[in-house]
Structures are given as C-alpha cells and as structure tokens.
Amino acid sequence: MTAIVVFESMFGGTQAVAESVGAGIASCGLPTDVVEVGRVVGDGERAPWWPDDVLLLVVGGPTHRRGLSTETTRATARAHGEVVSGLTGLDRWLAAAAARTVGTLPVAAFDTAWGTVDGGSASAVIAERLLALRGRLVVPPETFRVVGTSGGPSEGEVERAWEWGRHLVSTVR
C-alpha cells in the first residue's frame, strides 16, 4: 500500500510543501509518491500514471483568485517565468478523474496562499471535488502560507507540512 501526494505548483512553493507532506507521511513507514499533476493527467508526451495500491490520496495546489488555478491564471504565471506545472492543473484532473480513481479512499486537501486570510482557498475546492468523487475526507482542508508568488513557503511552513503529513497517517491506520 502507498500514499500519493498529487500537486500543482507554479513557482515551486506548493511543490516544496507537497514534498514535505510526502516526507512526513513516509517517515511513518508508508511508501509515498509525490507526483506533479501533469504526470497523473498525462500531459505533453507523458502517459497518464496512477498506482494500483493507493491507501491515502493527498491533493494540493496554489490558491489563484480565491480558488483553483485555471488556464487563464496558469497562462499569467507562465508569463512571469518558468513554472513547475506548465501544461495542466488540478482543475482539469479533478474534472476528468473518474470516481473509481478516488473511490472511497481516505483523502486530504491542502493549498498554498499568500496575502490575507480571506483570500480564498483552493483546498476547500479540492476537498469538495474529492468528496464529489466519493473520497473520504480525513481532515479539514489545510492552508500553508507562502511568501509572495515566488518566495517559497513562509518560515516554519515546511516543518508544519511535514507534521501534517505524519498526522495524516494516523487517520488511516
């Protein structure tokens, strides 16, 4: 059995949080794959990929305009420089994912955000979509703070993400 952390990231902040969440999960002895959303969608020349033995699904992305990124917000990000998730996003994967992919899996959602606390939440949208796919939400959606658009996680957030990942394992064992 394995855990999978699927993430979308523009400038690397969400990727850093996803990798820390995955490391926290793995530190509890649960094999963990941390995968950029384009890999599960199969963008560009990559074929879609999904493991057969998922025990826990964690999904995270950046908050854009109070919710999930869109093709428009990804294009704006690409105009500012190289991005991690350049070809697709969680919006596309979650819209196309079959309920059999998520099924009754334990799921968790996180996002990254900067600015004010009332700036919206991609994680709330992710959680709603995972629930619509029959996932079993094991913790409330979580937000990790980043410094601006490209400054990476705020001080202490990488460590907090690691602890959050460890906590997720206790919800499924």
Side-chain angles (χ1 to χ4, degrees):
M1 300 304 276
T2 187
I4 183 169
V5 180
V6 177
F7 72 89
E8 175 185 355
S9 185
M10 294 300 113
F11 301 108
T14 308
Q15 180 177 9
V17 169
E19 288 171 352
S20 187
V21 168
I25 294 169
S27 75
C28 295
L30 182 59
T32 306
D33 290 310
V34 180
V35 184
E36 191 270 330
V37 66
R39 180 67 179 102
V40 294
V41 169
D43 66 1
E45 299 198 12
R46 298 185 286 187
W49 173 83
W50 190 256
D52 293 329
D53 60 347
V54 178
L55 175 67
L56 171 66
L57 171 61
V58 182
V59 181
T63 298
H64 284 197
R65 295 188 182 162
R66 305 182 62 80
L68 283 177
S69 71
T70 64
E71 184 51 45
T72 301
T73 64
R74 286 189 295 277
T76 300
R78 285 191 301 270
H80 290 296
E82 182 106 10
V83 296
V84 176
S85 300
L87 297 177
T88 194
L90 291 174
D91 60 330
R92 183 172 157 209
W93 177 59
L94 290 167
R100 66 178 156 65
T101 301
V102 177
T104 58
L105 283 174
V107 297
F110 74 91
D111 64 28
T112 55
W114 61 278
T116 62
V117 294
D118 63 348
S121 171
S123 61
V125 177
I126 294 167
E128 287 173 10
R129 301 262 184 102
L130 290 171
L131 287 169
L133 292 168
R134 298 192 329 248
R136 185 172 49 86
L137 197 64
V138 294
V139 295
E142 189 67 41
T143 296
F144 296 93
R145 294 282 165 209
V146 292
V147 180
T149 56
S150 59
S154 298
E155 186 175 335
E157 292 296 81
V158 169
E159 295 80 7
R160 193 168 73 81
W162 189 84
E163 289 294 340
W164 189 70
R166 285 184 56 82
H167 171 69
L168 293 176
V169 175
S170 70
T171 68
V172 296
R173 285 198 168 163

